[in-house]
Amino acid sequence: GAVVSQHPSWVICKSGTSVKIECRSLDFQATTMFWYRQFPKQSLMLMATSNEGSKATYEQGVEKDKFLINHASLTLSTLTVTSAHPEDSSFYICSARDSVTYEQYFGPGTRLTVT
Amino acid sequence: GDSVTQMEGPVTLSEEAFLTINCTYTATGYPSLFWYVQYPGEGLQLLLKATKADDKGSNKGFEATYRKETTSFHLEKGSVQVSDSAVYFCALSDPNTGGFKTIFGAGTRLFVKA
């Protein structure tokens, strides 16, 4: 079946630094990818919709200057958490929508810890 | 806007018990409905889905029926196993709003005791 990978699977960074998370669709093309955030024991909150070759669409309340999204190719989207703070610590999950079948597949998630 | 409401957990059952996790939704269009499962320490996996009214999705002994009249998509399993312990998320994807983005319920944690 279709696979979505995320890298890194976990990262620890110091407050004030930036962290980049990659999301790749391994065996299909994805015009659209989605970034979610999941707090411990809570649901997934959609942060933004990433469209290949154009600007991302952010959900209300999500700071686009803090969470930079780049969808440069049909198989890769990146989320950069800029000037990270401890409150940004969370589990970040991406999903990719197959451009042909419109099925959506989820990555395994990236756990970010900001110290 | 679109939303999903599912029963709060945790739900604790003994092995071989019957499982029901309630889910209702609000949507402006005709969404597709999903159940996802997240096992401890793992990512989300699609468990089953239904794309139109009266469709029944089923997988691994789980099933759910798309009920438009009650805007519900309750998850059921006749006999749970310890390995079913996980968090279950009900979700919808509405092509009429937001370009197929998926909206999730809060999740229901299931514990199955041997």
Side-chain angles (χ1 to χ4, degrees):
Chain A
V3 176
V4 175
S5 70
Q6 282 185 239
H7 178 79
S9 56
W10 60 271
V11 57
I12 301 173
C13 71
K14 293 186 176 180
S15 189
T17 61
S18 296
V19 174
K20 179 184 286 188
I21 303 170
E22 293 185 349
C23 176
R24 293 181 186 274
S25 57
L26 297 186
D27 47 6
F28 64 96
Q29 293 185 333
T31 307
T32 304
M33 293 185 176
F34 304 91
W35 286 96
Y36 293 85
R37 183 173 180 177
Q38 185 180 29
F39 291 100
K41 299 185 179 180
Q42 294 188 28
S43 187
L44 283 75
M45 301 300 297
L46 180 65
M47 298 174 65
T49 302
S50 167
N51 299 296
E52 187 266 336
S54 64
K55 291 183 178 180
T57 304
Y58 290 81
E59 295 299 301
Q60 193 171 10
V62 178
E63 299 176 60
K64 57 184 175 184
D65 293 332
K66 180 165 187 61
F67 299 100
L68 300 178
I69 292 172
N70 184 19
H71 193 156
S73 77
L74 288 173
T75 59
L76 173 65
S77 176
T78 60
L79 168 68
T80 301
V81 183
T82 63
S83 187
H85 291 283
E87 57 265 31
D88 299 325
S89 299
S90 191
F91 195 52
Y92 292 87
I93 300 173
C94 77
S95 72
R97 185 162 67 95
D98 189 309
S99 300
V100 175
T101 67
Y102 296 116
E103 294 284 344
Q104 191 171 346
Y105 303 96
F106 285 81
T110 296
R111 185 163 302 283
L112 169 64
T113 301
V114 184
T115 61
Chain B
D2 295 353
S3 66
V4 176
T5 302
Q6 61 183 106
M7 62 187 288
E8 288 188 26
V11 174
T12 303
L13 296 173
S14 297
E15 209 165 22
E16 299 183 3
F18 185 85
L19 168 71
T20 300
I21 301 178
N22 290 336
C23 171
T24 57
Y25 67 91
T26 302
T28 54
Y30 300 94
S32 294
L33 302 175
F34 308 84
W35 277 100
Y36 286 89
V37 58
Q38 187 175 35
Y39 297 102
E42 297 184 17
L44 241 62
Q45 299 177 29
L46 177 63
L47 181 60
L48 54 85
K49 69 176 182 180
T51 57
K52 61 182 187 298
D54 299 325
D55 267 2
K56 177 186 283 188
S58 61
N59 185 25
K60 299 180 181 179
F62 291 89
E63 58 182 34
T65 302
Y66 190 143
R67 301 286 189 199
K68 191 171 185 298
E69 63 275 15
T70 54
T71 61
S72 65
F73 193 55
H74 304 322
L75 181 69
E76 296 181 338
K77 185 175 185 182
S79 176
V80 294
Q81 305 300 313
V82 173
S83 57
D84 293 327
S85 298
V87 180
Y88 292 82
F89 293 95
C90 185
L92 69 81
S93 177
D94 187 346
N96 292 309
T97 59
F100 292 95
K101 63 185 178 185
T102 301
I103 306 298
F104 288 86
T108 301
R109 187 173 296 273
L110 171 66
F111 293 104
V112 180
K113 303 180 297 184

